[in-house]
Amino acid sequence: MNKSKNILIVILVLFSVKTNAQKIPDGLYFVSGNEINQITILNRRDGSIKATFDTYRGALEMAFSSLKNLPGSYESVNTKENHVLTKRNNLLTLLVLGDMNLIVKKEVLAISKKELKAAKKQLGIKSELSNELGSLWGKKKKKEEEKKGPLEYFVKEATSDFHQKNVGKIIFFSKEPTVGKEDISTIKTDFKIGDEIWGVAYFSTVMKESYYLKQLSNHFQDNFGRNHYWITIGMDKMEKDLLPKENEIVNQCTVKSLKKADLEKNYVVFQVVPSSLASMKIDRDGASFLLGRMGERLDPYKHNLRISLTDGKMDQEDELYFGTITYDTTEGTEDLIMMAKEIEEGALKAKRAPTPVMRNANLEAEMMQQIELWANTKDWPGVKFHKVMITLDWQILKDDYGNIKGNYVEGDVLYSDNEGCGYRNFGFLKTYLGNGQYDENIKQHTIGHRGELSCDKVK
């Protein structure tokens, strides 16, 4: 009985030690740097912390809530800047986080000045005179881009230790990986023609919570208010004797469409090169463009390639997520060009022609007449128009002030020319005359999207 009681006491003591070890003890702490003199920490009964900062401007109080996935770590609540109290190298540390949880400032805390000195030395924090006292508490800090040395991030919810170690990187795989359960044996940096290439970009926060990552999601809202997101990559050779434009393979190429759920993730998985049409999971249009460019711009050689996540407008120094591989094309790039053509032809055959919302032979003939008139005026020669399909029924069109402009309708014309076949959208208007009256005849009003079609679908 006594033995069981002793074991229970030991277990309770160990549990208490473990629980307390995850907490930041109450008390007064000295702080490295010059902007904060001291911090007083008080644990509250709900598990949060009240911290009082003694600054040159006076006292500042801040609440911190516990990070559920990181025991012993706390983040500030309802503050303009994101502050985190955590342990780094077993030292209590205050972090100031910027976009993507980039660590823009790091201060170490200690219960005595002697311990503070040792802690600063351990973390490599040097004493410095601040040129901008108080910048932490309201003044605009220097741009994060000016931060010297490698970027350092604080990751709140890494999917695994592997994720934690590779934040800020693109890691390449020979097979589609499962993030959180990566097969290390499939990680590669050397590839050749015929190999499948996958990339994973490991983020420090979810896409929707970072301005920079939102840029990479290439957000677009269509005319119906629907949001669209997609990931694009840039690809360049890395040859010192070439000019930047000579090194460029693609500036921007779509590799994956994103769903809203993808914006809740702190990583993105994408296929760079499929091994065959059967293995293709990259965006179809992007694949034909990328493979075609690679086939055209890579000569027989073992190339060093730089692959980055980009929005197409970024300079290379602004592309924070990139990785490098070698790609052996000594056997020739004919397979890449052939695959690009097969993808393009397959996409055209699979693409449906526009579907009419109604049939009206007289209106279709009037639309065709207006389109032919537009084509002659705009010098669109050598085009054979086959038929018009009404794709939007009549709607009242108003200006920005609510005044009626006219009765509006749209149609897609199917055409062929020397380059192939396709369709083009046109909008038409019956002008409003007042008193509920409209012009009897339509006039060409807008020009919309244009797309390719297989020629057997335009006749």
Side-chain angles (χ1 to χ4, degrees):
M1 182 76 175
N2 290 335
K3 188 175 180 181
S4 300
K5 187 175 180 180
N6 290 337
I7 291 172
L8 179 60
I9 291 171
V10 170
I11 291 172
L12 290 173
V13 168
L14 290 174
F15 179 77
S16 175
V17 169
K18 183 177 179 183
T19 303
N20 290 332
Q22 293 177 351
K23 284 187 175 182
I24 300 174
D26 290 347
L28 183 68
Y29 292 83
F30 294 95
V31 186
S32 61
N34 300 300
E35 295 167 353
I36 312 167
N37 300 318
Q38 297 171 333
I39 298 178
T40 302
I41 288 177
L42 177 65
N43 283 276
R44 303 195 288 199
R45 57 187 175 85
D46 64 356
S48 64
I49 281 177
K50 175 187 174 183
T52 304
F53 293 75
D54 177 17
T55 77
Y56 83 102
R57 290 185 175 184
L60 176 69
E61 294 182 334
M62 196 178 293
F64 285 78
S65 63
S66 177
L67 286 167
K68 60 181 180 179
N69 295 314
L70 293 172
S73 294
Y74 301 78
E75 66 177 342
S76 58
V77 180
N78 297 326
T79 54
K80 289 183 180 179
E81 292 173 318
N82 192 359
H83 297 72
V84 170
L85 284 166
T86 188
K87 288 282 186 75
R88 295 175 73 82
N89 297 337
N90 292 319
L91 298 172
L92 183 57
T93 309
L94 173 68
L95 305 176
V96 182
L97 307 182
D99 189 46
M100 286 195 296
N101 291 339
L102 176 68
I103 299 174
V104 295
K105 197 166 187 65
K106 178 170 56 179
E107 303 287 4
V108 68
L109 283 65
I111 58 175
S112 71
K113 290 187 177 180
K114 183 179 179 180
E115 288 187 8
L116 181 65
K117 185 176 180 180
K120 285 167 65 176
K121 186 177 181 181
Q122 186 177 335
L123 281 187
I125 298 176
K126 297 179 180 179
S127 297
E128 58 181 16
L129 290 175
S130 175
N131 293 322
E132 200 177 4
L133 287 175
S135 65
L136 183 60
W137 312 112
K139 289 185 181 180
K140 190 174 181 180
K141 290 190 291 293
K142 292 180 180 179
K143 291 181 180 179
E144 292 172 7
E145 295 89 328
E146 295 175 2
K147 182 179 175 71
K148 295 182 179 179
L151 299 178
E152 188 179 5
Y153 300 95
F154 181 77
V155 186
K156 298 176 185 176
E157 297 187 25
T159 58
S160 64
D161 289 340
F162 184 82
H163 183 158
Q164 179 79 44
K165 291 174 183 176
N166 290 287
V167 165
K169 301 177 184 176
I170 296 179
I171 305 298
F172 296 98
F173 297 81
S174 58
K175 295 180 180 178
E176 183 176 6
T178 300
V179 173
K181 298 179 181 179
E182 291 87 348
D183 181 353
I184 305 302
S185 68
T186 62
I187 296 175
K188 285 184 67 176
T189 55
D190 295 311
F191 297 90
K192 65 181 185 303
I193 294 286
D195 286 347
E196 196 167 328
I197 306 176
W198 286 85
V200 180
Y202 292 94
F203 303 142
S204 51
T205 187
V206 298
M207 294 193 76
K208 72 171 188 176
E209 291 183 359
S210 161
Y211 175 77
Y212 182 85
L213 296 177
K214 283 178 184 175
Q215 281 183 287
L216 294 182
S217 72
N218 296 282
H219 172 252
F220 168 74
Q221 189 174 72
D222 63 24
N223 294 330
F224 300 97
R226 294 174 299 203
N227 293 314
H228 303 268
Y229 309 89
W230 63 95
I231 285 291
T232 64
I233 63 168
M235 183 182 291
D236 298 271
K237 293 177 281 187
M238 299 169 62
E239 298 185 34
K240 293 180 180 179
D241 58 339
L242 295 181
L243 300 173
K245 269 296 176 186
E246 292 174 318
N247 268 323
E248 181 183 292
I249 299 170
V250 291
N251 175 50
Q252 182 183 28
C253 176
T254 300
V255 291
K256 182 176 183 175
S257 295
L258 300 176
K259 298 179 180 177
K260 260 193 172 180
D262 293 314
L263 304 181
E264 303 281 349
K265 298 176 181 176
N266 55 0
Y267 62 88
V268 63
V269 182
F270 57 96
Q271 189 181 52
V272 183
V273 176
S275 58
S276 65
L277 292 182
S279 72
M280 188 174 68
K281 292 189 178 180
I282 182 176
D283 176 87
R284 183 175 290 272
D285 291 337
S288 62
F289 175 61
L290 178 60
L291 294 173
R293 279 291 189 92
M294 291 175 73
E296 293 168 4
R297 299 191 175 186
L298 294 176
D299 57 327
Y301 186 69
K302 190 171 184 178
H303 295 275
N304 291 313
L305 301 181
R306 179 185 188 274
I307 299 169
S308 62
L309 295 187
T310 181
D311 66 354
K313 301 172 185 175
M314 296 174 176
D315 294 326
Q316 277 202 4
E317 56 266 27
D318 297 324
E319 294 173 346
L320 301 181
Y321 283 88
F322 66 89
T324 59
I325 63 170
T326 62
Y327 193 60
D328 191 345
T329 60
T330 52
E331 297 297 320
T333 56
E334 296 82 5
D335 289 348
L336 295 176
I337 294 172
M338 186 177 296
M339 199 186 308
K341 288 181 178 177
E342 288 175 353
I343 293 169
E344 196 171 338
E345 289 170 1
L348 278 179
K349 288 179 180 178
K351 194 170 184 179
R352 295 181 179 180
T355 304
V357 297
M358 66 174 180
R359 299 282 187 180
N360 185 321
N362 291 333
L363 178 58
E364 290 165 6
E366 197 174 359
M367 285 180 169
M368 181 68 82
Q369 187 179 34
Q370 288 290 314
I371 291 169
E372 289 173 344
L373 180 62
W374 179 90
N376 291 332
T377 305
K378 299 297 180 181
D379 191 23
W380 195 17
V383 178
K384 182 179 180 181
F385 297 113
H386 295 273
K387 57 185 173 182
V388 174
M389 295 185 177
I390 301 168
T391 53
L392 180 68
D393 206 348
W394 292 104
Q395 295 185 358
I396 300 299
L397 189 66
K398 297 182 179 180
D399 62 20
D400 295 338
Y401 301 99
N403 301 311
I404 297 175
K405 295 176 69 175
N407 210 0
Y408 178 79
V409 68
E410 285 185 5
D412 284 358
V413 64
L414 306 188
Y415 69 88
S416 59
D417 59 21
N418 293 333
E419 296 181 0
C421 301
Y423 66 93
R424 190 163 197 167
N425 176 265
F426 289 86
F428 306 89
L429 191 72
K430 283 188 175 182
T431 306
Y432 183 59
L433 303 176
N435 298 319
Q437 301 298 312
Y438 296 86
D439 197 324
E440 290 185 5
N441 301 313
I442 62 170
K443 291 183 179 179
Q444 186 269 321
H445 185 66
T446 61
I447 306 163
H449 55 271
R450 180 178 177 179
E452 292 182 297
L453 284 173
S454 175
C455 286
D456 60 358
K457 293 181 180 177
V458 303
K459 297 174 183 178

